[in-house]
Amino acid sequence: MKSVKKCLIFFIIILFFVEPCTAQKAKEKQIDVKLPPEDLILFINCYPSISFEISYDENIDDWLLSFNSYGKKYNLYWQNSSLLPKEEITNKEKYWPLLYSYPLKLKEPSDFTEEEIERVKNFGSTENRKNGAGTPMFFFDAFYDSNTRGSLESHLSRTTFLGHNTTVHERIVPELKKVEKKIFELSETDAEVKNFVEGIKSTDAYYWRIISGTNRKSFHSLGIALDVLPKRLGGKAIFWSWTKDINPDGWMLTPLSQRWMPPLKVIEAFEDCGFIWGGKWIIFDNMHFEYHPELTAYSRKLAGAF
């Protein structure tokens, strides 16, 4: 009987000390649970047609996004928004983040510092464009099924934009139509927008090609980039490379007043629907619009617009 009492007392002592320790460990474990970064959530929310599974890979020490697109399964690691397959993680320095600060306002080239001018020169150099880092295409190739020309072209849609025939990826047709509706509505009361619409020569989108001077596909190859070309440039610059051919050392200093531009309201109409404008790049492409809802959302977040 005494031995039973001793065992009972010992068991009570064990419970007294062990249970709080176990509870504390459980509490600590709960606190240590990793939550996906805000930017990852922002990114996936920009592509609501895809159901993403998010998990944390302890071996890689990174977030893994698993999803299906056009009947195929993909696994990509966050890698500071580069979204890379496992085998490319060791080469991550070759890729830019997919989230970067797309400027909401234009900067006048006359305000560039000497350091900024040198940076733009280096960025636009033949050597950098050929061997420098570039956009990781893994997510986009999955989302738009563009690993091959044949697979991509099965998803193209012939449509019109602002009265001109064009071919785009089926996934962006609804958003492009929203842009068109906004611009047509603006043109009814805004003379500048009306003149812009009437002065358009073409709105070409899909064209399977490699970006000049690089080994990377253009987003025109995915059918998500659109070039709005005017009938007349009026002697103004529209594309950095064409300007560089004329002025190799000072092309980046071309004043905004000497660059052809769509009206600000047109640019904003595109941006409101998830498109970015190439005129805001340091290597300007003022005819160019590209569907990247993650960039407009991210830049507005940085600017505190959310």
Side-chain angles (χ1 to χ4, degrees):
M1 188 70 175
K2 286 183 180 179
S3 61
V4 172
K5 286 184 178 179
K6 285 182 180 179
C7 289
L8 183 60
I9 292 170
F10 179 74
F11 181 68
I12 292 171
I13 292 172
I14 291 294
L15 282 178
F16 181 80
F17 286 104
V18 172
E19 187 173 356
C21 292
T22 303
Q24 180 62 29
K25 286 182 179 179
K27 185 178 180 182
E28 289 174 357
K29 186 175 181 181
Q30 186 177 13
I31 293 173
D32 193 43
V33 171
K34 292 183 180 293
L35 296 176
E38 288 184 8
D39 290 346
L40 186 157
I41 301 301
L42 178 148
F43 186 95
I44 65 175
N45 284 342
C46 290
Y47 293 91
S49 62
I50 291 286
S51 296
F52 293 90
E53 293 180 10
I54 307 173
S55 59
Y56 193 79
D57 189 329
E58 296 285 352
N59 295 321
I60 303 296
D61 191 26
D62 196 15
W63 292 95
L64 174 65
L65 271 69
S66 301
F67 60 95
N68 286 291
S69 180
Y70 290 112
K72 301 172 187 175
K73 180 71 177 286
Y74 296 91
N75 295 295
L76 299 175
Y77 287 88
W78 182 235
Q79 289 296 299
N80 191 31
S81 85
S82 289
L83 284 176
L84 304 179
K86 187 175 182 178
E87 61 271 18
E88 281 299 311
I89 291 177
T90 55
N91 299 319
K92 60 185 178 182
E93 69 282 352
K94 292 168 50 179
Y95 303 104
W96 296 329
L98 294 180
L99 295 179
Y100 61 84
S101 181
Y102 165 75
L104 297 179
K105 294 183 179 180
L106 282 172
K107 184 174 182 177
E108 182 62 57
S110 60
D111 294 331
F112 287 173
T113 64
E114 289 297 324
E115 182 180 354
E116 287 175 322
I117 294 171
E118 195 59 33
R119 182 169 63 88
V120 176
K121 282 183 180 179
N122 291 335
F123 186 79
S125 69
T126 302
E127 178 62 25
N128 181 69
R129 288 173 63 74
K130 183 178 180 181
N131 299 314
T135 301
M137 297 297 291
F138 306 102
F139 171 76
F140 301 114
D141 280 341
F143 185 70
Y144 296 107
D145 198 17
S146 58
N147 280 298
T148 68
R149 182 172 183 173
S151 61
L152 181 282
E153 289 186 343
S154 67
H155 306 297
L156 294 178
S157 176
R158 189 72 173 166
T159 187
T160 59
F161 182 69
L162 300 178
H164 299 269
N165 293 327
T166 193
T167 301
V168 298
H169 195 283
E170 62 189 4
R171 285 197 188 273
I172 76 163
V173 172
E175 300 309 315
L176 193 61
K177 286 300 178 183
K178 289 179 186 177
V179 178
E180 182 180 59
K181 184 174 183 291
K182 284 176 176 284
I183 294 174
F184 275 146
E185 288 176 351
L186 286 167
S187 68
E188 293 175 2
T189 57
D190 190 303
E192 185 184 17
V193 176
K194 181 181 179 181
N195 291 335
F196 164 78
V197 172
E198 292 176 348
I200 293 174
K201 177 183 178 181
S202 61
T203 57
D204 294 329
Y206 172 68
Y207 177 48
W208 187 270
R209 70 178 182 84
I210 300 298
I211 300 172
S212 178
T214 77
N215 57 4
R216 301 185 300 275
K217 286 199 302 283
S218 162
F219 280 106
H220 282 288
S221 297
L222 279 62
I224 66 170
L226 184 81
D227 283 345
V228 180
L229 197 63
K231 296 173 183 175
R232 290 175 293 277
L233 288 175
K236 293 188 175 183
I238 193 171
F239 181 48
W240 75 278
S241 186
W242 298 346
T243 306
K244 185 180 179 183
D245 290 340
I246 301 169
N247 185 4
D249 297 320
W251 59 269
M252 77 294 298
L253 296 176
T254 305
L256 298 182
S257 61
Q258 294 179 25
R259 301 182 188 184
W260 176 86
M261 295 190 188
L264 178 59
K265 290 182 180 179
V266 169
I267 297 168
E268 290 173 343
F270 272 99
E271 291 176 341
D272 287 344
C273 297
F275 289 80
I276 61 171
W277 177 50
K280 290 184 176 179
W281 295 335
I282 56 173
I283 50 174
F284 63 90
D285 189 349
N286 286 26
M287 71 184 102
H288 186 92
F289 292 91
E290 218 170 82
Y291 185 65
H292 285 292
E294 71 282 0
L295 282 179
T296 53
Y298 182 64
S299 295
R300 286 172 177 174
K301 174 196 168 187
L302 292 181
F306 283 164

